[in-house]
Amino acid sequence: MHVPVVLFTADLRLHDHPPLRAALDAADAVVPLFVRDRAVEAAGFAAPNRRAFLDGCLADLDAGLRERGGRLVVRSGDLVGEVCRVVAEADADEVHMSAGYSRFAARREERLRSALEAAGRRLFVHDAVTVAVPPGAVTPASSDHFAVFTPYYRQWERVPLRQVAGAPRRVPVPGGVGGEEVPARGGSAGASPALPPGGESGARTQVTAYWRRGLDAYDTARDDLAADATSRFSAHLHFGTLSPVELVHRARRHGGAGAEAFVRQLAWRDFHRQVLAARPEAAHADYRTKHDRWRTERTAGADIDAWREGRTGYPVIDAAMRQLRHEGWMHNRARLLTASFLAKTLYVDWRIGAAHFLHWLVDGDLANNQLNWQWMAGTGTDTRPNRVLNPVAQGRKYDPDGAYVRRWVPELSGVGAPSVHEPWKLPAPDRAALDYPDPIVGLPDGLDRFRRARGKQP
């Protein structure tokens, strides 16, 4: 009996899953397998929020498989070793999986291929499962990747996307292959209290709702901090409970300025992956160094702690950092503001901020997180030193009524706009009544320090 193994990684869904469809097309049964890779945990990527969300994704995937006559096999340990053991137990002759694009994923895939081939088995790796356009599908004439988004996007738009594969009706799974108990949905120690549940079924419901109420206004409303008008699909894209290919197809069919802006954000996601695939060291090292002498935990510990805890004295920054801890998510505009504040106003090493985000973000994604931090720090693909976001001006522009600030900084709940963005300017009696800190640095002082460090002024 022909029984392939389908190894699920960052593609925890049944709809539009090319490895699963390919395995089922020529098989009597398949073994759907997920391995809790100890190497991922050892590297620190199994943070509480992502671990809790993952549990929900696995529970939902198992439920979907059971509705189709199957089940999910869950193992823990070294991924290569566990896959090889399952292959032996099922007497499988091939393994299907989605391509990964980080250095870690590439090395793991090569180890798995070597181990399977040594045992006379084959590995089939499927592209365009976790991305719409894979790294390397479009390249400039003079390089192995694009370093500027706009020309990348022009070519990205012209790439024909594969067709969307429907969810299978039946997924027969042989007996005799055991696994761990599939985790129950629920919280995890240390997880954010308002963490959303993981899983494909909830993700697809979320897409349907957003297409009705939010997509048309995406281009005009997505930067409004208080409106909460973004899609919030990022965690589902990170864990693969939604297919980027399917989302692009659906958005293009929907049409309109909002859908076009939404598709452009999916292209940014692919852009970062092709940069990281070509330059994996950019996960930890400057893509384009400015020879910064960043302040560190040793030299700026108090400022870093204030930033992490949401008590910098700048209300929109503090609101964003508190939202991060409470929800495991942060509005995209707020991510830009908080990153600019840490790297440029406080002149703190961007890697410190990136690590904090990776600890809390349920959508904590190496390519998007690290390269967006480098973009704001001025060490990435675009190094413009004048990109310093003023938190007061940005707060007034993107939270004009102060609703976002008051939602997350209750100390300022009684302060109206525009004073809520500059509470230190309130009359002395009103200011004294607030249990809220003064700014930890003056904006002109922070800008002067950054410019001096970059050699932009004497």
Side-chain angles (χ1 to χ4, degrees):
M1 186 169 68
H2 177 47
V3 181
V5 171
V6 179
L7 176 62
F8 287 84
T9 53
D11 51 3
L12 303 177
R13 63 181 185 267
L14 296 177
H15 289 81
D16 195 38
H17 197 287
L20 179 61
R21 294 300 312 201
L24 285 169
D25 283 347
D28 302 298
V30 301
V31 179
L33 171 67
F34 180 84
V35 178
R36 290 184 180 273
D37 192 344
R38 296 301 188 210
V40 172
E41 297 181 3
F45 287 106
N49 281 340
R50 289 192 293 282
R51 189 163 55 244
F53 196 88
L54 172 62
D55 286 350
C57 294
L58 296 178
D60 190 79
L61 180 59
D62 180 63
L65 287 166
R66 289 182 183 277
E67 290 173 2
R68 293 163 172 83
R71 60 191 171 89
L72 180 65
V73 176
V74 177
R75 297 285 183 95
S76 297
D78 172 65
L79 180 136
V80 173
E82 291 302 323
V83 172
C84 289
R85 275 187 277 277
V86 169
V87 164
E89 291 169 20
D91 194 22
D93 56 0
E94 61 189 44
V95 174
H96 292 258
M97 68 179 295
S98 303
Y101 306 107
S102 67
R103 175 181 283 171
F104 173 83
R107 288 174 174 172
R108 186 174 67 175
E109 178 187 309
E110 194 52 45
R111 285 176 53 232
L112 179 58
R113 185 183 303 279
S114 297
L116 289 172
E117 289 179 351
R121 269 74 170 183
R122 293 180 296 173
L123 176 66
F124 294 92
V125 179
H126 299 258
D127 240 333
V129 181
T130 63
V131 296
V133 176
V138 294
T139 56
S142 58
S143 178
D144 58 353
H145 73 289
F146 279 94
V148 180
F149 176 74
T150 300
Y152 170 80
Y153 182 56
R154 291 194 194 104
Q155 289 202 31
W156 184 94
E157 280 190 300
R158 294 195 292 266
V159 174
L161 300 185
R162 62 170 177 77
Q163 292 302 304
V164 174
R169 294 183 178 180
R170 293 278 299 165
V171 185
V173 176
V177 180
E180 303 166 8
E181 184 176 352
V182 175
R185 303 170 192 263
S188 178
S192 296
L195 188 73
E200 181 186 16
S201 58
R204 297 188 72 80
T205 299
Q206 190 175 328
V207 170
T208 300
Y210 190 72
W211 249 240
R212 290 173 179 166
R213 65 170 175 79
L215 184 60
D216 288 334
Y218 182 79
D219 60 321
T220 57
R222 71 179 187 271
D223 279 328
D224 187 329
L225 289 167
D228 196 15
T230 63
S231 70
R232 291 201 180 224
F233 294 163
S234 55
H236 292 295
L237 285 164
H238 176 69
F239 284 92
T241 52
L242 288 176
S243 159
V245 169
E246 184 180 5
L247 288 177
V248 173
H249 276 300
R250 289 185 63 172
R252 285 174 173 169
R253 286 197 303 269
H254 185 92
E260 290 175 8
F262 176 80
V263 168
R264 188 179 177 90
Q265 292 305 306
L266 291 173
W268 267 108
R269 184 173 178 271
D270 286 359
F271 172 77
H272 286 147
R273 273 160 178 71
Q274 58 95 39
V275 173
L276 192 63
R279 300 291 183 272
E281 65 276 6
H284 305 288
D286 292 345
Y287 181 86
R288 289 184 174 131
T289 185
K290 291 297 178 179
H291 304 289
D292 286 291
R293 296 181 298 279
W294 298 110
R295 301 167 75 215
T296 63
E297 296 273 8
R298 183 180 63 81
T299 57
D303 286 351
I304 294 168
D305 286 344
W307 177 82
R308 286 173 175 152
E309 295 164 11
R311 50 179 183 82
T312 67
Y314 288 97
V316 74
I317 302 298
D318 295 342
M321 297 305 293
R322 297 182 193 188
Q323 179 185 27
L324 173 63
R325 284 185 177 239
H326 188 74
E327 295 186 350
W329 183 86
M330 187 193 290
H331 190 288
N332 184 61
R333 172 57 53 176
R335 297 187 197 205
L336 299 178
L337 293 176
T338 52
S340 174
F341 188 82
L342 184 75
K344 289 181 173 173
T345 303
L346 296 181
Y347 196 57
V348 167
D349 193 330
W350 64 266
R351 282 159 283 245
I352 292 173
H356 184 74
F357 272 30
L358 279 179
H359 176 79
W360 287 101
L361 285 173
V362 68
D363 61 29
D365 178 280
L366 197 65
N368 277 349
N369 187 66
Q370 308 302 87
L371 292 174
N372 273 320
W373 266 95
Q374 291 222 45
W375 190 78
M376 284 310 310
T379 63
T381 56
D382 184 344
T383 59
R384 282 185 290 174
N386 61 332
R387 188 186 290 115
V388 181
L389 303 182
N390 182 310
V392 175
Q394 292 274 308
R396 287 175 172 169
K397 182 176 182 179
Y398 296 112
D399 186 30
D401 296 328
Y404 178 74
V405 165
R406 285 189 292 272
R407 183 183 307 158
W408 295 107
V409 187
E411 304 97 303
L412 303 178
S413 60
V415 181
S419 297
V420 72
H421 295 296
E422 294 180 287
W424 58 89
K425 290 186 176 180
L426 287 168
D430 296 337
R431 175 69 189 93
L434 298 176
D435 182 21
Y436 185 71
D438 286 327
I440 59 175
V441 64
L443 295 179
D445 295 335
L447 183 59
D448 178 71
R449 174 172 53 199
F450 174 71
R451 285 177 172 171
R452 288 179 182 276
R454 287 283 173 92
K456 297 303 177 183
Q457 65 185 43

